[in-house]
Amino acid sequence: MKYIFISDIHGKPRPLRRAFDMMEQLAFDKVVCLGDIVGYGDEPNECIRLIRRNADIVLAGNHEFAVCQKRSWLTSNQRAIEGFLRTQILLSQSELNYLNELPLTHEVDDMLFVHSTPLEPQNFRYPVLTPGGRPASEPFQAVQDIFRAIDNRLVFVGHSHRPGVFLEEEPGEFVSVADDNGVVDLMGRRALVDVGSVGIPRGNSPATFVEYDTDLDEVTYHVIPLDEEDYH
């Protein structure tokens, strides 16, 4: 079985279309969208249409929750708040209803799909190897704590806009695995896979989507080429 994972499109249909064009060259079984279809960008309607047409499993992200007024905007930055307001204005009631009905998690076999971390997913924390002395109120969750609390072997997330894999090296001990060559062999181990962002990569990260082959137990990162217009 081969899955394609996409996330964090943020109202930008151009890179999303490019990703779907790239997928046409791949053999796969299902497309999973891990949320944040909307927010920031000016074309949420087209992004929702593309996702509804092409994705088999679709989850809610923090931007869907904010636009549907399921969470407070108080902790969001000004750019995000402007995006929430713009998206609410642009969307029809039927599209808002669609976003409002999206689930937070989905499980298949030993895999768990979620926008952020699976512990209290409505709080939209970021997975890290260690919170590093950060206050408990900050939105971070240690990978070790996540896997102590769940039975799933694999967790696929978005949210951070930075691709990467946390792989269990020893029981209960995880390491961050570089994906320089685009392919990560999970070797039957427990892992949390951040699929990155289609629409708004952060830092030095490229725009990406992920292919996961259950037979080979391999994660492959595909880089989506962006041009200057995609960043506006």
Side-chain angles (χ1 to χ4, degrees), residues 9-11 33 35-39 47-48 51 58 64 98-99 102:
I9 297 130
H10 286 298
C33 175
D36 278 4
I37 306 166
V38 302
C47 290
I48 291 171
I51 290 297
V58 184
E64 280 79 41
Y98 171 74
L99 297 183
L102 294 176

Side-chain angles (χ1 to χ4, degrees), residues 2-145:
K2 289 186 179 180
Y3 289 88
I4 298 289
F5 293 90
I6 56 176
S7 191
D8 296 274
I9 297 130
H10 286 298
K12 292 181 173 286
R14 281 167 51 89
L16 181 58
R17 289 192 200 97
R18 208 166 293 135
F20 283 131
D21 287 344
M22 293 171 66
M23 291 176 204
E24 290 182 359
Q25 310 305 313
L26 305 173
F28 62 89
D29 298 289
K30 289 190 176 182
V31 174
V32 181
C33 175
L34 297 175
D36 278 4
I37 306 166
V38 302
Y40 299 124
D42 294 332
E43 299 183 70
N45 303 287
E46 180 61 16
C47 290
I48 291 171
R49 282 193 288 269
L50 287 167
I51 290 297
R52 295 183 77 168
R53 187 182 309 138
N54 293 285
D56 301 285
I57 299 166
V58 184
L59 304 181
N62 54 300
H63 282 252
E64 280 79 41
F65 258 46
V67 166
C68 295
Q69 299 185 343
K70 290 183 173 182
R71 69 188 303 258
S72 171
W73 297 6
L74 293 179
T75 58
S76 302
N77 60 47
Q78 187 60 35
R79 186 186 176 204
I81 292 171
E82 290 171 357
F84 301 155
L85 288 168
R86 185 165 53 248
T87 300
Q88 284 184 328
I89 292 168
L90 291 170
L91 292 181
S92 68
Q93 188 59 51
S94 64
E95 288 162 333
L96 279 170
N97 290 343
Y98 171 74
L99 297 183
N100 191 56
E101 293 169 1
L102 294 176
L104 279 168
T105 64
H106 187 88
E107 289 187 75
V108 178
D109 300 325
D110 61 352
M111 300 182 293
L112 176 61
F113 311 151
V114 60
H115 181 67
S116 57
T117 61
L119 304 185
E120 299 178 335
Q122 73 278 5
N123 290 331
F124 300 103
R125 297 185 177 100
Y126 294 94
V128 290
L129 285 179
T130 171
R134 300 180 176 101
S137 60
E138 290 194 11
F140 296 93
Q141 181 74 52
V143 175
Q144 293 90 334
D145 293 340

Side-chain angles (χ1 to χ4, degrees), residues 154-173:
L154 301 178
V155 180
F156 289 85
V157 306
H159 194 44
S160 77
H161 297 210
R162 292 180 171 92
V165 177
F166 296 108
L167 185 65
E168 190 173 45
E169 190 173 47
E170 300 290 339
E173 296 182 10

